[in-house]
Amino acid sequence: MTVNSLTNKRVLLGVSAGIAAYKTPDLVRKISELGAEVQVILTKNADQFVAPLALQAVSGHAVHDHAMTAESESGMGHIDLARWADVVLIAPATANVMARLVAGNADELLTTVCVATEAPIAIAPAMNQQMWQNQATQSNLATLAERGTWIFGPDAGEQACGEVGPGRMLQPVDIAQALAQQFTNGALSGKNVMITAGPTWEALDPVRGITNHSSGTMGYALAQAAIEAGAKVTLVSGPCNITPPDRANVRKVTSALEMHSAVMAEVNTQDIFIGVAAVADYRPVDAADSKIKKNNDEMIIKLVKNPDILADVALHEHRPFCVGFAAETNDVVDYARGKLERKKLDLIAANHVGGTETGFGVPDNAITLISADDVIELPKQNKYGLARALIKEIAKAYKNA
Ligand code: PMT
């Protein structure tokens, strides 16, 4: 069974000027309760129906109004907001805003963000029943549906104007659930997925060690995406400062040897293994029991090779479907292909590291997913969006294996 969740999602809520806007502080609450971060954009006149201060209080963010001024653009401008969002939800969506979406108008902040974003757009229509049934509205609805817009509702019943019929906005709890449902798919339903994440720490003495800049974000995002896809996830994590998805079985480890033991202890029950961790290739031969003193001008540290966790998993007699990561600074695809073959993997996700835009310790990443006979480019985006795209591809390849 999959549980609907919006954990780690960024929802950009567009509130257009309809009477149902008064329900949006509750909608922000319901979406936040499912784990999402919410920012709000009001269209022109929406503040006649809901107080921006109320939306600011429940979302924890200053509310963006309709205007695109030099001042608003110097804060989080329309392109930043378009990139920030995992989904743009417009609720209530009036007949007017639906028409402007169809036309591709970029005449105020919300509509401009909708044109600029790569994130999915969802609408919860709300209007008088006659307006809803109007031919133009129905034709706009069909166009939006054809373009892949998620459409939640409307409900039917007594309306604010006193008429009865279709056009009432869905209740906030139902909109939040419908949104979460879109991120929950059954591509890995019932599968056991083990993911390693984060760096390892190879102790030199009780206070010093060898590590790297992995934040764990990519691995944790994949754990979240696999859970959304219905998998039971075991997350074997090196030392990280981020919160793991609440439905993952987390095994916290420090060193590569501990990570190796934790993985091997449970690998025989796994269907898929994804090695995202930046595991130290070497560890000090002996970690000192007490703090090393600086008595000499030079110090030589002797290192010994760590076991290759991913390669050992791929050689296991109950071998799961194996996905590796390859962090490379140059000749990314060639080196990754070499690792795919040497470690006997099913897939390898090659990512370019060393710059400041993707890879270690930054919010974004870009991946080239390589198998024996295919190369798929997953372009630069935030790690949570990328993880969902990657899990989709992994599920496809696993089913075809
Ligand atoms: O954590 P973030 O800040 O979000 O950054 C994400 C990331 C850049 C760390 C991640 O996307 C990534 O690229 N992870 C792999 C990093 C790495 O160490 O790559 P590698 O080329 O050294 O190793 C290749 C593969 O073998 C990896 O799947 C690695 O987990 C695995 N490995 C390596 C050595 C070892 N002893 N055991 C292993 O299992």
Side-chain angles (χ1 to χ4, degrees):
M1 193 189 82
T2 56
V3 183
N4 294 346
S5 162
L6 288 169
T7 305
N8 292 322
K9 297 290 171 301
R10 292 161 162 184
V11 179
L12 190 56
L13 174 64
V15 177
S16 65
I19 179 64
Y22 82 89
K23 294 183 175 177
T24 52
D26 188 30
L27 177 58
V28 172
R29 268 248 147 81
K30 294 292 185 294
I31 293 171
S32 306
E33 281 166 12
L34 291 178
E37 185 180 354
V38 185
Q39 291 207 59
V40 180
I41 300 178
L42 297 176
T43 65
K44 203 170 170 191
N45 296 327
D47 61 357
Q48 307 281 317
F49 298 95
V50 60
L53 211 51
L55 289 164
Q56 177 177 316
V58 287
S59 69
H61 288 284
V63 168
H64 307 270
D65 74 7
H66 68 280
M68 288 178 63
T69 58
E71 193 192 358
S72 63
E73 285 293 298
S74 71
M76 202 178 199
H78 67 284
I79 295 295
D80 293 326
L81 281 166
R83 285 191 185 138
W84 177 87
D86 291 319
V87 58
V88 180
L89 166 66
I90 307 180
T94 58
N96 180 31
V97 99
M98 285 172 63
R100 286 192 289 151
L101 287 180
V102 167
N105 286 351
D107 50 356
E108 60 172 297
L109 182 58
L110 178 63
T111 49
T112 307
V113 166
C114 287
V115 175
T117 194
E118 284 178 19
I121 296 174
I123 59 169
M127 65 198 75
N128 160 274
Q129 56 93 19
Q130 204 58 54
M131 291 172 80
W132 174 250
Q133 292 177 84
N134 178 280
Q135 249 186 352
T137 307
Q138 287 301 307
S139 153
N140 288 338
L141 178 72
T143 306
L144 290 172
E146 203 175 288
R147 289 180 193 165
T149 307
W150 303 340
I151 294 157
F152 306 149
D155 212 347
E158 196 169 329
Q159 301 200 300
C161 54
E163 294 180 16
V164 176
R168 270 194 349 190
M169 190 173 83
L170 288 185
Q171 292 304 321
V173 65
D174 296 324
I175 296 174
Q177 277 297 329
L179 190 63
Q181 185 64 48
Q182 293 292 334
F183 288 100
T184 308
N185 63 75
L188 292 177
S189 198
K191 298 294 166 209
N192 289 329
V193 176
M194 179 181 268
I195 297 170
T196 63
T200 61
W201 172 272
E202 311 300 325
L204 283 162
D205 68 16
V207 294
R208 304 185 186 94
I210 300 170
T211 187
N212 59 67
H213 290 301
S214 170
S215 62
T217 310
M218 192 69 238
Y220 282 38
L222 277 160
Q224 176 62 34
I227 289 167
E228 286 169 6
K232 197 169 157 216
V233 172
T234 302
L235 179 62
V236 183
S237 173
C240 298
N241 289 322
I242 52 174
T243 311
D246 50 10
R247 279 169 284 134
N249 302 310
V250 183
R251 312 280 180 253
K252 292 231 170 187
V253 299
T254 302
S255 66
L257 284 181
E258 286 174 21
M259 188 174 273
H260 186 266
S261 303
V263 166
M264 289 305 158
E266 296 184 60
V267 75
N268 59 345
T269 59
Q270 302 302 317
D271 299 297
I272 297 174
F273 177 83
I274 311 176
V276 194
V279 185
D281 291 323
Y282 294 88
R283 67 180 182 279
V285 172
D286 289 311
D289 291 334
S290 53
K291 188 177 169 210
I292 300 168
K293 298 289 172 209
K294 52 171 181 199
N295 294 332
N296 302 315
D297 288 343
E298 285 186 355
M299 189 169 97
I300 292 170
I301 299 166
K302 195 166 174 194
L303 302 175
V304 62
K305 210 170 191 176
N306 272 324
D308 191 311
I309 302 166
L310 180 60
D312 285 357
V313 169
L315 287 176
H316 196 277
E317 57 168 333
H318 300 295
R319 177 192 190 281
F321 185 86
C322 286
V323 184
F325 265 67
E328 304 290 352
T329 51
N330 55 293
D331 301 315
V332 177
V333 173
D334 284 349
Y335 281 134
R337 203 178 273 289
K339 282 179 186 166
L340 177 84
E341 286 160 13
R342 250 191 340 273
K343 298 194 187 196
K344 305 196 183 336
L345 309 177
D346 298 289
L347 286 175
I348 194 152
N351 66 289
H352 204 292
V353 297
T356 53
E357 295 205 339
T358 57
F360 285 85
V362 290
D364 292 345
N365 208 3
I367 275 172
T368 308
L369 188 62
I370 302 165
S371 63
D373 42 30
D374 212 358
V375 174
I376 298 170
E377 293 295 341
L378 299 174
K380 182 182 153 196
Q381 55 189 299
N382 86 55
K383 287 175 179 169
Y384 285 90
L386 186 66
R388 282 200 298 279
L390 196 50
I391 285 293
K392 220 176 184 179
E393 294 300 336
I394 292 172
K396 233 190 277 172
Y398 170 75
K399 280 196 179 123
N400 292 334

